[in-house]
């Protein structure tokens, strides 16, 4: 279980910011000392590039680097560690997928997404559709999940890609990936299914074999890991057919001076041109160890408890002042607005006057107004280093304040 009394001691952020309340984990989680130590260990002890195995130390770095693939493989229940591609993050991975699918998309083909997607799961598909004279259409939502009846009517032989987040980064409702995948496979088994797991990776169990999708991607910084590191997973047959977005050093096996020819390395190395974020990838391994030690189920349950308590307190003390948009979402996201107040004014006041870090705005989901009728909201996101006392302080700040004028600069 989560040790409420001592968990903050594992995160140096709180030693350096003892008066801060951090409610923005959906944007990026704080980093435990073990992850920071893992990054420092690489720079201070190893320092070598895994591309070079000519020395014992470099070979050890190479081994540690590739052991992370196995760790990620087990974390998401992939069949093979070679299905794990390291990327700079979810955004890069989604762009890699969309770029790699260009040759499979023809004029008039269709890509399906939803209105609640993050911009990183919209723009790559928009660009692909424009480049190939295809279309992007939106799957209707029912109770904040994909409307399977409507989806069944939309799917045709022209539908080539369906991409969605299994947990929205704003509302936090979870989509049943298995049910969606089964429906899609029954109607058109050739459709490429892409799941954006950036928000979901720490808030639900990821099982790519059970899901039977074609690609998923996620970022380390959403799961206590470092920024600038992510994972693209794909079924091996799809990865082998996917042209790499980046070409360069170490991802090629041979370059010829004749006929502009070159030979790429096998999957996954063909997608990892140049020197990777070695320290960050080793930090990701430490983050997975940290999650496994606490237990993903325990993390999920604790965040759900905090969310439930927050909803109860909002209903008890702020019912006439606040509009909550996702009270029954089980993940640790609470999205609201203070009536007749601009979301950024509320967030700025909380952050500058009360030292409570929340998030305001569109949260990179610029079509969310099609779902909840509002473009700008305040988002509170909980993690294991939060507690009920902090929620009480948030509620008190909202109860007592009338003007929400943040610090004037």
């Amino acid at each position: 279980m989560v040790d409420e009394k001592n968990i903050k001691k594992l995160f140096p952020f709180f030693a350096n910011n003892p008066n801060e309340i951090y409610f923005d984990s959906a944007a990026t989680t704080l980093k435990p000392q073990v992850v920071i130590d893992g990054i420092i260990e690489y720079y201070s002890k190893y320092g070598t590039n895994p591309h070079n195995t000519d020395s014992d130390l470099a070979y050890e770095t190479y081994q540690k680097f590739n052991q992370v693939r196995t760790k990620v493989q087990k974390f998401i229940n992939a069949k093979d560690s070679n299905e794990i591609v390291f990327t700079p993050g979810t955004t890069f991975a989604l762009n890699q997928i969309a770029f790699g699918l260009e040759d499979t998309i023809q004029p008039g083909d269709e890509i399906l997404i939803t209105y609640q997607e993050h911009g990183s799961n919209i723009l790559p598909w928009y660009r692909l559709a424009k480049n190939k004279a295809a279309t992007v259409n939106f799957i209707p939502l029912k109770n904040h999940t994909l409307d399977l009846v409507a989806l069944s009517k939309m799917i045709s032989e022209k539908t080539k890609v369906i991409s969605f987040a299994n947990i929205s980064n704003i509302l936090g409702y979870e989509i049943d990936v298995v049910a969606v995948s089964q429906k899609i496979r029954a109607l058109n088994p050739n459709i490429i299914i892409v799941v954006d797991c950036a928000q979901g990776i720490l808030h639900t169990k990821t099982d790519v074999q059970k899901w039977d999708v074609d690609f998923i991607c996620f970022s380390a910084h959403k799961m206590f890991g470092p920024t600038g590191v992510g994972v693209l997973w794909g079924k091996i047959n799809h990865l082998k057919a996917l042209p790499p977005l980046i070409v360069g050093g170490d991802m090629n096996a041979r370059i010829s001076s004749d006929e502009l020819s070159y030979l790429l390395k096998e999957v996954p190395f063909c997608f990892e041109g140049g020197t990777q974020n070695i320290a960050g990838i080793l930090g990701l391994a430490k983050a997975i160890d940290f999650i496994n030690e606490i237990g993903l189920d325990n993390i999920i349950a604790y965040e759900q408890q905090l969310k439930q308590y927050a909803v109860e307190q909002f209903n008890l003390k702020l019912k006439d002042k606040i509009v909550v948009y996702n009270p029954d979402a089980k993940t640790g996201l609470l999205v609201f607005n203070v009536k007749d107040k601009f979301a950024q004014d509320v967030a700025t006041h909380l952050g500058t006057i009360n030292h409570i870090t929340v998030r305001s705005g569109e949260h990179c989901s610029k079509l969310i107004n099609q779902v909840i009728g509002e473009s700008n909201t305040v988002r509170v996101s909980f993690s294991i280093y939060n507690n009920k006392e902090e929620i009480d302080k948030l509620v008190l700040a909202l109860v007592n304040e009338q003007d929400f004028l943040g610090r004037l600069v």
Side-chain angles (χ1 to χ4, degrees):
M1 299 297 292
V2 175
D3 184 352
E4 295 182 45
K5 293 183 179 180
N6 296 308
I7 193 73
K8 284 182 181 292
K9 297 177 183 178
L10 303 179
F11 293 83
F13 173 91
F14 295 107
N16 293 304
N17 302 278
N19 297 320
E20 293 292 325
I21 296 175
Y22 187 79
F23 281 149
D24 196 21
S25 295
T28 190
T29 52
L30 300 177
K31 319 309 172 194
Q33 189 65 55
V34 290
V35 170
I36 298 170
D37 289 344
I39 295 170
I40 293 173
E41 181 186 44
Y42 164 72
Y43 285 122
S44 59
K45 182 178 178 181
Y46 297 97
T48 50
N49 195 317
H51 295 173
N52 170 21
T53 58
D54 293 338
S55 68
D56 289 344
L57 189 60
Y59 183 69
E60 187 176 354
T61 303
Y62 169 82
Q63 287 184 309
K64 289 176 69 68
F65 183 89
N66 283 295
Q67 285 168 0
V68 185
R69 293 189 204 276
T70 302
K71 197 176 292 288
V72 175
Q73 172 200 353
K74 293 178 180 178
F75 191 73
I76 65 174
N77 193 31
K79 283 185 178 180
D80 190 333
S81 63
N82 285 330
E83 296 173 337
I84 307 302
V85 178
F86 295 127
T87 74
T90 304
T91 299
F92 185 99
L94 287 165
N95 276 271
Q96 167 62 78
I97 297 167
F99 171 83
L101 292 175
E102 277 205 6
D103 289 344
T104 69
I105 302 297
Q106 303 300 320
D109 283 346
E110 177 185 53
I111 300 163
L112 297 181
I113 59 176
T114 81
Y115 284 116
Q116 64 182 1
E117 300 307 316
H118 190 283
S120 295
N121 198 31
I122 298 175
L123 295 186
W125 306 118
Y126 274 21
R127 183 167 62 182
L128 174 58
K130 283 186 176 182
N131 289 345
K132 303 297 291 188
T135 60
V136 174
N137 290 314
F138 296 88
I139 307 166
L141 299 173
K142 184 177 182 181
N143 298 324
H144 298 288
T145 190
L146 301 191
D147 187 333
L148 294 184
V149 174
L151 177 62
S152 299
K153 296 177 181 178
M154 294 180 73
I155 289 176
S156 71
E157 62 180 12
K158 288 289 187 180
T159 308
K160 296 299 172 66
V161 179
I162 296 178
S163 187
F164 59 92
N166 63 326
I167 294 180
S168 161
N169 74 301
I170 292 188
L171 299 177
Y173 290 96
E174 183 175 355
I175 288 175
D176 185 342
V177 179
V178 173
V180 173
S181 174
Q182 288 177 345
K183 176 63 69 174
I184 295 169
R185 298 295 185 215
L187 295 169
N188 185 343
N190 295 319
I191 291 174
I192 299 296
I193 305 173
V194 181
V195 182
D196 173 1
C197 295
Q199 199 61 232
I201 193 65
L202 190 59
H203 305 295
T204 189
K205 175 64 178 175
T206 301
D207 189 332
V208 295
Q209 293 191 65
K210 180 180 179 181
W211 288 0
D212 188 26
V213 298
D214 298 294
F215 296 101
I216 76 161
C217 43
F218 58 91
S219 298
H221 77 97
K222 304 281 191 180
M223 50 185 293
F224 308 122
T227 56
V229 176
V231 169
L232 163 62
W233 168 88
K235 288 181 177 177
I236 199 71
N237 60 312
H238 290 308
L239 289 175
K240 287 181 177 180
L242 210 64
L245 177 62
I246 298 295
V247 292
D250 200 59
M251 52 80 70
N252 65 84
R254 184 180 70 247
I255 300 177
S256 172
S257 61
D258 301 323
E259 300 179 354
L260 302 178
S261 66
Y262 56 90
L263 177 67
L264 300 182
K265 288 185 177 181
E266 295 295 321
V267 171
F269 308 106
C270 60
F271 295 107
E272 296 174 358
T275 297
Q276 299 297 295
N277 184 350
I278 304 164
I281 290 169
L282 297 179
L284 169 60
K286 296 294 185 181
I288 293 175
D289 289 341
F290 179 77
I291 293 168
N292 288 337
E293 183 175 349
I294 297 174
L296 182 60
D297 290 341
N298 292 329
I299 294 171
I300 294 169
Y302 183 72
E303 291 177 354
Q304 290 177 349
Q305 291 172 17
L306 293 179
K307 167 66 181 296
Q308 182 179 356
Y309 179 77
V311 170
E312 291 170 354
Q313 294 305 303
F314 270 48
N315 287 336
L316 182 64
K317 300 176 181 178
L318 291 162
K319 189 173 184 179
D320 297 328
K321 192 174 185 177
I322 300 287
V323 177
V324 178
Y325 299 99
N326 65 337
D328 54 341
K330 292 182 179 180
T331 50
L333 293 168
L334 183 64
V335 179
F336 67 95
N337 271 324
V338 177
K339 294 178 181 178
D340 302 320
K341 303 296 180 183
F342 185 49
Q344 190 170 10
D345 289 340
V346 175
T348 301
H349 183 87
L350 291 172
T352 59
I353 305 301
N354 297 277
H355 302 287
I356 302 174
T357 298
V358 298
R359 190 68 165 244
S360 68
E362 298 168 318
H363 317 288
C364 297
S365 296
K366 295 186 180 295
L367 303 180
I368 195 64
N369 63 314
Q370 301 288 331
V371 180
I372 61 175
E374 291 286 347
S375 295
N376 294 284
T377 58
V378 180
R379 183 184 67 189
V380 172
S381 47
F382 305 114
S383 190
I384 55 174
Y385 34 69
N386 297 128
N387 54 53
K388 292 179 180 179
E389 288 74 20
E390 292 176 331
I391 294 172
D392 291 338
K393 291 179 181 179
L394 169 66
V395 172
L396 185 62
L398 293 170
V399 167
N400 290 339
E401 184 54 51
Q402 298 300 320
D403 296 327
F404 294 103
L405 295 175
R407 179 169 53 212
L408 298 178
V409 179

